[in-house]
Amino acid sequence: MSDAREPGLLVDDVSVGYGPVRALRGVTLEVPSGAVVAVLGGNGAGKTTLLRAVSRTLGFHGGAVTSGTVDFGGRRVGGMSADRVVAAGICQVPEGRRVFARMTVADNLRAGALGSRGSRAAKAAALRRVHELFPVLADRAQQRAGLLSGGEQQMLAVGRALMAAPKLLLLDEPSLGLAPLMAARIADTIREINAQGVSVLLVEQNAALALRLASHAYVLEVGEITLHGRADELAGSDEVRRRYLGVVDETAASDAAAATGGSAHTPTLSRWGGAR
Ligand code: ATP
């Protein structure tokens, strides 16, 4: 496990623009060392943009941080190149499991270790660990990555990121497009990876899965954090249940309104006020 006193990721009042498009406004969030933190939000809320701001890959997409700071492990990430961010211990698994389809599984994993400054022995150890987590990647080592199933490609995308031995993994919608059983398997491995000491910032539209995995979560709406708190509290809040967990419970809602004298049920969570 990583040292709990080690500073984790701190995103402080970050705004991002893609030219005139303002994609994030004053976003503040924290991933303590060793934690799994989730960011929930609908299409276009800015979830991917947030991960790009951390991994310093916004420039590849015509975007830029316009204000605010990102720190990791006590070091300022702003100003670093994307490969320096990887060397600092942050790896992003992009949405859509972008594996190199024509390359073999083994070469995809090798590519993941290219940015790492680890020794040959460290890279061999990372590969062993990836094969333990995902035995299918060892079985299919010489197969072209494009021939793997969607779930297996997601495993390869995660495995490739792990080859750089990250301290913080940025996961962009790892369950997207996967059957429930495969999504559950991916969730199990995220738990396992975290148990081995890797912190995780998880962006998900599948709120139920994300809230089961995370200790804390943030809700991002149109570029702003609107709600945050402990994952179990968020999972119990009416707003999250209705908007992100798809719970439609009119009777409970009207009972709650009656019990509070007709007023709407007050969520136990405070609205985002900029405090950490
Ligand atoms: P989804 O779940 O649909 O992937 P998201 O929450 O990840 O959505 P982002 O992809 O971060 O959202 O997009 C946030 C906003 O920024 C959207 O309005 C989007 O149109 C805009 N945006 C994203 N990438 C670019 C880009 N390269 N150029 C211009 N605008 C962009």
Side-chain angles (χ1 to χ4, degrees):
M1 289 293 287
S2 58
D3 185 343
R5 290 162 302 175
E6 199 177 287
L9 176 75
L10 192 57
V11 174
D12 192 12
D13 205 15
V14 162
S15 297
V16 169
Y18 295 98
V21 179
R22 295 194 64 196
L24 291 184
R25 277 183 294 269
V27 167
T28 295
L29 71 76
E30 189 175 0
V31 183
S33 183
V36 179
V37 171
V39 176
L40 314 178
N43 285 119
K47 303 180 300 299
T48 298
T49 299
L50 173 64
L51 296 189
R52 288 175 181 160
V54 174
S55 61
R56 302 280 307 157
T57 54
L58 275 170
F60 306 141
H61 303 275
V65 171
T66 52
S67 63
T69 55
V70 178
D71 291 293
F72 179 65
R75 289 168 67 194
R76 182 96 349 141
V77 166
M80 286 186 189
S81 59
D83 57 329
R84 288 268 316 283
V85 174
V86 173
I90 301 178
C91 264
Q92 182 172 353
V93 180
E95 185 183 324
R97 19 183 200 281
R98 288 195 208 100
V99 298
F100 304 118
R102 293 186 188 187
M103 280 165 52
T104 64
V105 169
D107 284 342
N108 267 270
L109 291 178
R110 250 175 240 132
L114 285 179
S116 138
R117 292 187 182 152
S119 63
R120 188 182 280 232
K123 287 176 185 171
L127 183 61
R128 267 199 309 279
R129 220 178 59 151
V130 168
H131 283 167
E132 273 163 28
L133 272 173
F134 306 113
V136 68
L137 300 184
D139 298 343
R140 307 277 177 89
Q142 298 314 318
Q143 206 172 74
R144 274 178 22 200
L147 298 175
L148 298 178
S149 74
E152 289 162 351
Q153 287 188 25
Q154 183 65 65
M155 292 176 188
L156 180 56
V158 174
R160 191 176 58 190
L162 289 176
M163 288 298 292
K167 295 181 197 152
L168 171 67
L169 201 56
L170 308 176
L171 290 173
D172 196 347
E173 309 246 10
S175 79
L176 191 71
L178 299 184
L181 208 62
M182 187 52 88
R185 277 189 63 192
I186 294 288
D188 286 343
T189 45
I190 294 171
R191 234 178 246 119
E192 174 73 28
I193 289 163
N194 176 244
Q196 293 179 9
V198 181
S199 313
V200 178
L201 178 57
L202 170 68
V203 151
E204 261 296 343
Q205 283 200 39
N206 183 340
L209 180 142
L211 291 173
R212 274 201 304 275
L213 281 172
S215 59
H216 285 78
Y218 294 77
V219 174
L220 191 58
E221 285 174 33
V222 210
E224 288 181 76
I225 301 287
T226 54
L227 212 56
H228 74 115
R230 273 183 24 206
D232 55 349
E233 289 176 356
L234 276 170
S237 91
D238 282 353
E239 188 168 344
V240 170
R241 280 160 60 82
R242 222 177 24 247
R243 297 189 63 167
Y244 297 101
L245 297 172
V247 177
V248 182
D249 192 346
E250 299 294 348
T251 320
S254 57
D255 284 352
T260 54
S263 66
H265 177 64
T266 312
T268 50
L269 291 150
S270 55
R271 281 254 144 206
W272 180 253
R276 255 172 243 139

